[in-house]
Amino acid sequence: EVQLVESGGDLVQPGGSLRLSCAASGFSFSDYWMTWVRQAPGKRLEWVANIKQDGSEKYYVDSVKGRFSISRDNARNSVYLQMSSLRAEDTALYYCARSARQTNRDNFDYWGQGTLVTVSA
Amino acid sequence: DIVMTQSPDSLAVSLGERATINCKSSRSVLYSANNKDYLAWYQQKPGQSPRLLIYWASTRESGVPDRFSGSGSGTDFTLTISSLQAEDVAVYYCQQYYTTPPTFGQGTNVEIK
């Protein structure tokens, strides 16, 4: 059974940093692009970043470029999102998701339960 | 970025009746090289993560009931629930994956009338 379990969400002050983790199981992790998607309260889903199977390609939504960094550890079946210079508008539930067909241009066939990031003084 | 716009924002349908949700993209998501529309639909029930229902605009994901169907091409797409069940109460999102960043519609809230 495919499982994605996020952790690391917390309440953080504006300008602060946080590292999210996503532990994957039930599939060959190193064969798939992995993605972070967020959902602010009452808002639509927003793709944040993704990373290629070997970590050689990474892409980000414009609003987080230079502040967030995605990485992965295939030995640990995990993907991470390092977030810095956090802003109130980064407040959201952050989901880890798997790309369905092992490509960059893809939909997402498995999602975790999400981890909540709240940026507030 | 491609902007995805859904209509309506909210929909109330009687049990057993048809529900229709529309999704329009600001640019075509049809890739001519393979003649595929890079369009997916998701269902998100209250307190749950999104669930993939449809991809390539009309291909049902494994395990999705056949009352869910997708149609359309280019810039205009439709998700149809042929006979609404109580468990279908959810927010439905369309998503384009033709370009990076992939983008989602604003969601359509489906309720029971």
Side-chain angles (χ1 to χ4, degrees), chain B residues 12-33:
Chain B
V13 175
S14 300
L15 288 173
E17 295 301 304
R18 179 184 299 260
T20 301
I21 300 168
N22 300 302
C23 174
K24 189 173 185 68
S25 59
S26 60
R27 299 195 336 242
S28 175
V29 299
L30 174 63
Y31 187 41
S32 56

Side-chain angles (χ1 to χ4, degrees), chain B residues 76-87:
Chain B
D76 292 279
F77 301 90
T78 300
L79 175 70
T80 301
I81 310 172
S82 61
S83 176
L84 191 74
Q85 306 299 304
E87 61 265 32

Side-chain angles (χ1 to χ4, degrees), chain A:
Chain A
E1 179 193 6
V2 172
Q3 283 199 319
L4 299 170
V5 179
E6 303 94 335
S7 61
D10 204 348
L11 170 64
V12 61
Q13 292 190 339
S17 298
L18 210 54
R19 188 196 197 209
L20 307 184
S21 299
C22 170
S25 60
F27 65 101
S28 181
F29 179 75
S30 60
D31 287 344
Y32 289 83
W33 282 78
M34 295 298 296
T35 293
W36 287 95
V37 176
R38 67 185 178 183
Q39 188 170 34
K43 300 286 190 177
R44 72 179 70 191
L45 297 160
E46 181 184 37
W47 175 88
V48 175
N50 67 357
I51 185 168
K52 193 176 180 178
Q53 289 90 332
D54 62 0
S56 62
E57 293 181 36
K58 305 173 185 181
Y59 300 93
Y60 301 90
V61 69
D62 284 348
S63 60
V64 309
K65 283 179 182 174
R67 301 189 299 122
F68 289 12
S69 177
I70 190 171
S71 62
R72 65 191 295 161
D73 183 341
N74 287 343
R76 296 180 183 271
N77 290 341
S78 293
V79 61
Y80 308 99
L81 188 68
Q82 178 68 46
M83 305 186 293
S84 60
S85 302
L86 282 161
R87 305 166 181 168
E89 54 264 37
D90 296 318
T91 293
L93 188 61
Y94 284 73
Y95 294 104
C96 169
R98 188 184 85 166
S99 290
R101 270 165 303 283
Q102 306 168 286
T103 67
N104 178 26
R105 297 166 67 199
D106 218 342
N107 51 68
F108 313 117
D109 59 352
Y110 286 94
W111 299 63
Q113 285 302 303
T115 188
L116 183 62
V117 173
T118 304
V119 184
S120 175

Side-chain angles (χ1 to χ4, degrees), chain B residues 13-102:
Chain B
V13 175
S14 300
L15 288 173
E17 295 301 304
R18 179 184 299 260
T20 301
I21 300 168
N22 300 302
C23 174
K24 189 173 185 68
S25 59
S26 60
R27 299 195 336 242
S28 175
V29 299
L30 174 63
Y31 187 41
S32 56
N34 58 13
N35 200 36
K36 287 183 182 291
D37 287 284
Y38 283 56
L39 191 285
W41 288 96
Y42 298 85
Q43 174 193 64
Q44 187 175 32
K45 295 182 179 180
Q48 295 187 16
S49 308
R51 173 197 182 193
L52 177 65
L53 297 177
I54 302 282
Y55 57 94
W56 299 136
S58 61
T59 301
R60 205 176 298 115
E61 175 72 341
S62 175
V64 173
D66 61 6
R67 63 180 180 273
F68 291 92
S69 64
S71 63
S73 184
T75 60
D76 292 279
F77 301 90
T78 300
L79 175 70
T80 301
I81 310 172
S82 61
S83 176
L84 191 74
Q85 306 299 304
E87 61 265 32
D88 300 334
V89 169
V91 178
Y92 293 83
Y93 295 94
C94 60
Q95 177 225 341
Q96 67 79 19
Y97 48 103
Y98 183 81
T99 63
T100 298

Side-chain angles (χ1 to χ4, degrees), chain B residues 99-110:
Chain B
T99 63
T100 298
T103 48
F104 295 84
Q106 80 276 21
T108 294
N109 187 36
V110 175

